[in-house]
């Protein structure tokens, strides 16, 4: 579908635009997309404004989506919150609710899902070198597992120097990681990636 220019006649603009993961857009991208919507059209946005992971761009509110828009009823915004986390198990959902409350000092706007796996998530906090040791120990235990075939180590920030240091220290300890960059997971290997690359 061709992209209509804002200078084109209004009847050529899109009547409905859907934007997913809108918090990852830059302000310029968000304003441009909203400017392409017909004045009598609609803009549907899915976003978590607390979930910006990029260190260089991203939005923490929907203001930019409203800035350049020409929708006549722009003032009548309807919100439909996602009430239940269906992506993770019930145990991880409960963990995420507590984490959300402590990280943002507000109650989580979602409930944990119904899928009960009876496995509690484990949060390990420590130094860089204790992380390397923990990863090595976990891999040693998982080698005996018949159900776990791949393991991923996900860094929170998109810092290439830090990722390179983690990779070097893992190799020094005897663990050779595989970088996830547009490739599929490899069985029996430790995948090293970041939150931004792993999303979606």
């Amino acid at each position: 579908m061709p992209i209509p220019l804002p200078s084109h006649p209004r009847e050529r603009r899109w009547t409905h635009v859907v934007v997913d993961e809108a918090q990852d857009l830059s302000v310029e991208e968000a304003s441009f997309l909203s400017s392409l919507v017909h004045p009598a059209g609609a803009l549907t946005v899915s976003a978590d404004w607390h979930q910006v992971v990029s260190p260089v761009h991203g939005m923490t509110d929907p203001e930019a989506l409203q800035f350049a828009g020409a929708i006549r009823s722009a003032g009548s915004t309807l919100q439909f919150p996602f009430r239940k986390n269906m992506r993770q198990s019930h145990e991880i959902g409960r963990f995420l609710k507590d984490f959300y409350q402590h990280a943002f000092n507000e109650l989580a706007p979602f409930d944990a899902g119904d899928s009960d796996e009876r496995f509690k998530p484990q949060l390990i906090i420590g130094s860089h070198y204790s992380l390397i040791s923990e990863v090595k120990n976990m891999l040693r235990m998982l080698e005996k597992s018949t159900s776990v075939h791949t393991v991923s180590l996900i860094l929170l920030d998109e810092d290439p120097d830090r990722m390179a240091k983690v990779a070097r220290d893992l190799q020094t300890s005897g663990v050779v990681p595989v970088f996830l960059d547009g490739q599929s997971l490899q069985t029996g290997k430790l995948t090293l990636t970041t939150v931004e690359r792993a999303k979606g």
Side-chain angles (χ1 to χ4, degrees), residues 51 84-97 110-117 121:
Q51 202 187 75
K84 185 171 289 189
N85 178 6
M86 305 297 289
R87 180 175 291 178
Q88 285 90 20
S89 67
H90 179 74
E91 294 85 356
I92 293 180
R94 289 181 58 188
F95 168 81
L96 292 175
K97 286 186 65 175
F110 59 86
D111 292 324
D114 300 324
S115 175
D116 189 351
E117 296 181 356

Side-chain angles (χ1 to χ4, degrees), residues 102-145:
H102 285 85
F104 303 117
N105 197 29
E106 61 184 67
L107 294 176
F110 59 86
D111 292 324
D114 300 324
S115 175
D116 189 351
E117 296 181 356
R118 302 187 181 184
F119 290 106
K120 293 184 178 181
Q122 183 178 6
L123 177 62
I124 301 173
I125 300 177
S127 67
H128 168 84
Y129 293 104
S130 66
L131 168 67
I132 302 299
S133 177
E134 286 289 347
V135 170
K136 184 176 180 179
N137 291 335
M138 283 190 289
L139 286 174
R140 187 181 296 119
M141 289 185 291
L142 291 173
E143 285 176 352
K144 305 174 183 178
S145 173

Side-chain angles (χ1 to χ4, degrees), residues 3 5 11-12 17-18 20 29 37 41 46 62 68 75 77 87-88 102 104 106 118 130 133 157 165 184 191 196 198:
I3 296 178
L5 297 175
E11 61 271 13
R12 293 187 181 179
V17 171
V18 180
D20 190 23
E29 291 168 338
V37 184
S46 174
T77 302
R87 180 175 291 178
Q88 285 90 20
H102 285 85
F104 303 117
E106 61 184 67
R118 302 187 181 184
S130 66
S133 177
D157 51 21
K165 178 174 175 54
S184 58
T191 300
E196 187 170 15

Side-chain angles (χ1 to χ4, degrees), residues 2 13 53 61 101 107 111 113 121 124 137 144 150 152 173:
R13 297 191 189 184
V53 298
D61 61 60
Q101 181 174 351
L107 294 176
D111 292 324
I124 301 173
N137 291 335
K144 305 174 183 178
T150 58
S152 293
S173 68

Side-chain angles (χ1 to χ4, degrees), residues 157-184:
D157 51 21
E158 193 83 10
D159 186 340
D161 294 334
R162 182 163 181 257
M163 178 178 278
K165 178 174 175 54
V166 171
R168 286 195 306 270
D169 291 340
L170 283 170
Q171 290 177 351
T172 301
S173 68
V175 178
V176 181
V178 175
F179 292 93
L180 181 63
D181 195 2
Q183 301 176 1
S184 58

Side-chain angles (χ1 to χ4, degrees), residues 14-18 37-44 71:
W14 290 329
T15 57
H16 193 179
V17 171
V18 180
V37 184
H38 192 281
L43 176 63
T44 301
I71 301 175

